[in-house]
C-alpha cells in the first residue's frame, strides 16, 4: 500500500504525489467520484485511494484540520464581487466547511471497518 505522508505544510498526502487526502475525502465522500473514477482521473492506483480513505477514517481530526485551515483562508480572502455576480460556492467558507465535514463523516462511516491497522490489501 502507498504510505500517507505529512508535507511541510502539515497536509496529509499520498507519498510521492501532491494529491491531498482531504481532496480524496471531499471527492469520494461527497459521492462526486467513485474510487475507480478518482483513481482514473488523477492517475493513481485504486489501492492508493483506498489507503487514503482508510487513513482518513483512522485520522479524522487531521483531515478536519486541513478543511478548517482552508475555510479560514477562504474567510480571510473573501473578495468583493460586483452587484449581481454570485460568488462561487467554494468561496463561502461556512458552506465549504459544512460540505467537507459531511464528506468526512461519510468516509468515516463507510471506511471505518477497513481502517483497522491490521487490515492490508491483498
Amino acid at each position: 500500500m502507498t504510505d500517507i505522508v505529512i508535507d511541510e505544510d502539515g497536509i496529509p498526502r499520498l507519498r510521492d504525489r501532491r494529491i491531498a487526502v482531504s481532496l480524496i475525502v471531499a471527492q469520494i465522500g461527497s459521492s462526486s467520484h467513485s474510487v475507480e473514477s478518482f483513481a482514473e482521473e488523477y492517475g493513481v492506483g485504486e489501492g492508493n485511494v483506498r489507503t487514503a480513505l482508510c487513513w482518513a477514517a483512522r485520522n479524522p481530526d487531521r483531515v478536519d484540520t486541513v478543511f478548517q485551515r482552508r475555510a479560514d483562508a477562504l474567510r480571510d480572502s473573501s473578495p468583493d464581487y460586483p452587484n449581481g455576480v454570485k460568488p462561487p460556492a467554494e468561496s463561502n467558507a461556512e458552506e465549504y466547511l459544512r460540505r467537507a465535514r459531511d464528506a468526512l463523516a461519510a468516509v468515516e462511516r463507510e471506511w471505518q471497518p477497513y481502517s483497522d491497522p491490521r487490515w492490508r490489501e491483498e
Side-chain angles (χ1 to χ4, degrees):
M1 292 195 326
T2 300
D3 293 332
I4 302 301
V5 296
I6 309 300
D7 73 9
E8 64 279 355
D9 296 322
I11 298 173
R13 299 186 182 279
L14 295 177
R15 181 181 297 283
D16 299 326
R17 301 300 299 255
R18 294 290 302 163
I19 300 172
V21 171
S22 58
L23 173 65
I24 297 169
V25 168
Q27 295 286 316
I28 293 176
S30 69
S31 299
S32 64
H33 278 81
S34 65
V35 169
E36 296 79 12
S37 68
F38 186 94
E40 184 176 328
E41 182 173 332
Y42 287 88
V44 297
E46 291 176 20
N48 297 349
V49 177
R50 288 186 186 96
T51 296
L53 294 168
C54 288
W55 188 92
R58 274 196 315 271
N59 301 281
D61 292 342
R62 297 289 301 260
V63 178
D64 188 67
T65 297
V66 174
F67 289 146
Q68 184 63 58
R69 286 174 50 196
R70 172 76 175 133
D72 292 344
L74 286 170
R75 278 186 209 97
D76 292 345
S77 67
S78 61
D80 293 326
Y81 287 90
N83 287 338
V85 175
K86 184 178 178 183
E90 181 75 10
S91 67
N92 181 315
E94 284 68 31
E95 179 62 18
Y96 163 79
L97 192 56
R98 184 193 62 76
R99 287 183 292 121
R101 285 179 170 162
D102 286 350
L104 179 57
V107 166
E108 283 185 87
R109 279 190 309 274
E110 294 175 29
W111 290 89
Q112 191 67 44
Y114 305 106
S115 67
D116 185 315
R118 296 170 293 178
W119 177 80
R120 295 289 182 260
E121 189 173 83
E122 309 249 1

